[in-house]
Amino acid sequence: MPFGIQNGALEFLNEQNRGPRATKPKKQDTENSSIDDKNEKNVPLVDSELYNRPDFVTEYKDAKFFVIKSYTEDHVHRSIKYNVWASTASGNRKLDSAYRLAKEKEDYCPIFLFFSVNGSGQFCGVAEMIGPVDFDKSVDYWQQDKWSGQFPVKWHIIKDVPNNLLRHIILENNDNKPVTNSRDTQEVKLEHGLQMLTIFKNHESETNILEDFDFYEQREKALQENRRQQQPASPELQKPAENKALGELMAHISDTFGQTVQLKETENGESKPAVEGVSSADEASTATTKAEDGTASTNASPVE
C-alpha cells in the first residue's frame, strides 16, 4: 500500500517524500465530500491563516536565499510543527555563518529557505531563518538520529510548487544548473531569490502539506513509540533488580557457609565445629566473625 502503510501498521522508518494528498484528485466536488472529510477540515491541526498571507513581502533591497533539501516530508512536518530546522553539520555551519553576517549589516537582511523534499518533484514552502544555530542542542523527533544542532525558523508560505514553475531559474553559482537541481543549502543570489519568492506567493496551489498533517502526526507517534520500546531500561529501573540479585547471591553464600559448618559437625561427631586454619573454639568464633565481616564487605565491592 502507498505511503508506508502495510498490514495496518505505519512503516515510520521509511523516507516519505509525499503524503496521501499526492493521490487525491486535483479538484474535488465539495458537495460530494464525505462527512468525515468535512469534520477533519473543521478541526485543523494547524492554523492555516498564519501562512500564505497576501501581505507577504517579496521585495527586498538585501536578502539571502538558500535551497533546503529534506530527506523526507516527515521532517518538513516537524519543522512546521516545532518551528525549527536542522541541516547537516556543514549545512548548519554555512547557514549559521550567513545568519551572523546578515545580522552585522546595517539594513535588514532576512534569510529565506526554499524547502524541497528529495524525489518529490516539487517545492513545498518558504521559511525564514530567525535565529543562529544552536550546535549543542539536538532533538529526538527527526526521522533519523543523525541530525544534531538546530535553529529557529518562521514559515511564511506552505504550498506545493511544481519544479516546472522554477526550472527556468538558472544558478550561475552552481554550474548554470536549474535551481531545481540544487543540493542542500545551495545559495540563491538576490535577483533569483526574489523571483522565486514572487512565484511562491502568486502560485495558486491546490495542495499543501497541511492537508496531510494528521497523517504525519500518526507517523511521529509511531516513531516515538518504537524508540521508547527499543530504549534499554534506565539505571533507576535496573537498580532494584541489581540489588535483589546481589541480595540473593549473599544469601546463597551465607547458606553455603552454614551447610559447610553443619557437615563438619556431623563428620566430627561431638567435636566442635572446625574452621580451616583454626585450632580452638575462640579462634573459630573469631574466624566466623571475620567471615561475616568479609561477607558484609562484599556489599560495597564487586562479587566474583
Side-chain angles (χ1 to χ4, degrees), residues 95-281:
L95 294 173
D96 185 70
S97 176
Y99 177 83
R100 296 181 185 280
L101 288 175
K103 285 300 177 183
E104 292 176 358
K105 296 185 176 184
E106 295 182 0
D107 297 329
Y108 178 57
C109 179
I111 297 180
F112 291 106
L113 310 175
F114 300 110
F115 278 78
S116 175
V117 180
N118 287 339
S120 66
Q122 63 182 19
F123 282 75
C124 56
V126 181
E128 180 181 353
M129 185 178 183
I130 58 174
V133 177
D134 186 343
F135 293 95
D136 298 324
K137 185 175 182 179
S138 299
V139 293
D140 61 356
Y141 44 69
W142 301 121
Q143 198 75 352
Q144 298 91 5
D145 296 327
K146 59 184 178 181
W147 311 110
S148 61
Q150 68 173 38
F151 56 89
V153 297
K154 179 181 179 181
W155 281 82
H156 293 289
I157 298 177
I158 300 177
K159 60 176 67 172
D160 296 337
V161 180
N163 282 351
N164 58 15
L165 297 181
L166 301 164
R167 194 170 285 120
H168 64 282
I169 298 178
I170 306 299
L171 303 184
E172 294 82 0
N173 59 333
N174 189 29
D175 299 329
N176 293 317
K177 295 179 181 179
V179 68
T180 53
N181 288 18
S182 299
R183 294 180 178 273
D184 185 50
T185 66
Q186 168 65 50
E187 185 170 4
V188 179
K189 297 303 182 180
L190 179 63
E191 178 183 356
H192 292 146
L194 296 177
Q195 186 179 357
M196 291 181 68
L197 281 185
T198 301
I199 293 174
F200 269 88
K201 179 179 179 179
N202 295 337
H203 175 59
E204 296 183 1
S205 177
E206 297 175 347
T207 59
N208 62 64
I209 190 178
L210 299 181
E211 300 173 28
D212 294 335
F213 240 62
D214 182 66
F215 171 76
Y216 287 114
E217 284 286 310
Q218 298 304 317
R219 283 169 61 89
E220 180 183 12
K221 291 178 182 177
L223 174 65
Q224 293 172 342
E225 178 61 20
N226 179 71
R227 287 178 174 172
R228 185 189 66 79
Q229 293 179 358
Q230 291 183 348
Q231 287 179 350
S234 63
E236 289 72 14
L237 296 178
Q238 291 180 347
K239 285 181 180 179
E242 293 175 354
N243 292 338
K244 181 181 179 181
L246 182 59
E248 292 176 349
L249 177 60
M250 297 310 301
H252 175 70
I253 294 174
S254 178
D255 291 343
T256 302
F257 179 78
Q259 292 172 2
T260 302
V261 172
Q262 291 177 0
L263 179 60
K264 290 188 177 183
E265 287 180 349
T266 303
E267 291 175 350
N268 297 330
E270 298 297 331
S271 63
K272 299 292 184 181
V275 179
E276 184 178 355
V278 179
S279 59
S280 67

Side-chain angles (χ1 to χ4, degrees), residues 283-304:
E283 292 180 0
S285 175
T286 303
T288 302
T289 302
K290 290 181 179 179
E292 293 173 350
D293 291 341
T295 301
S297 67
T298 60
N299 290 323
S301 61
V303 177
E304 298 181 349

Side-chain angles (χ1 to χ4, degrees), residues 28-41:
Q28 291 183 333
D29 186 354
T30 55
E31 295 181 359
N32 295 330
S33 298
S34 66
I35 297 177
D36 292 337
D37 289 339
K38 291 181 179 180
N39 290 338
E40 289 180 1
K41 293 178 181 179

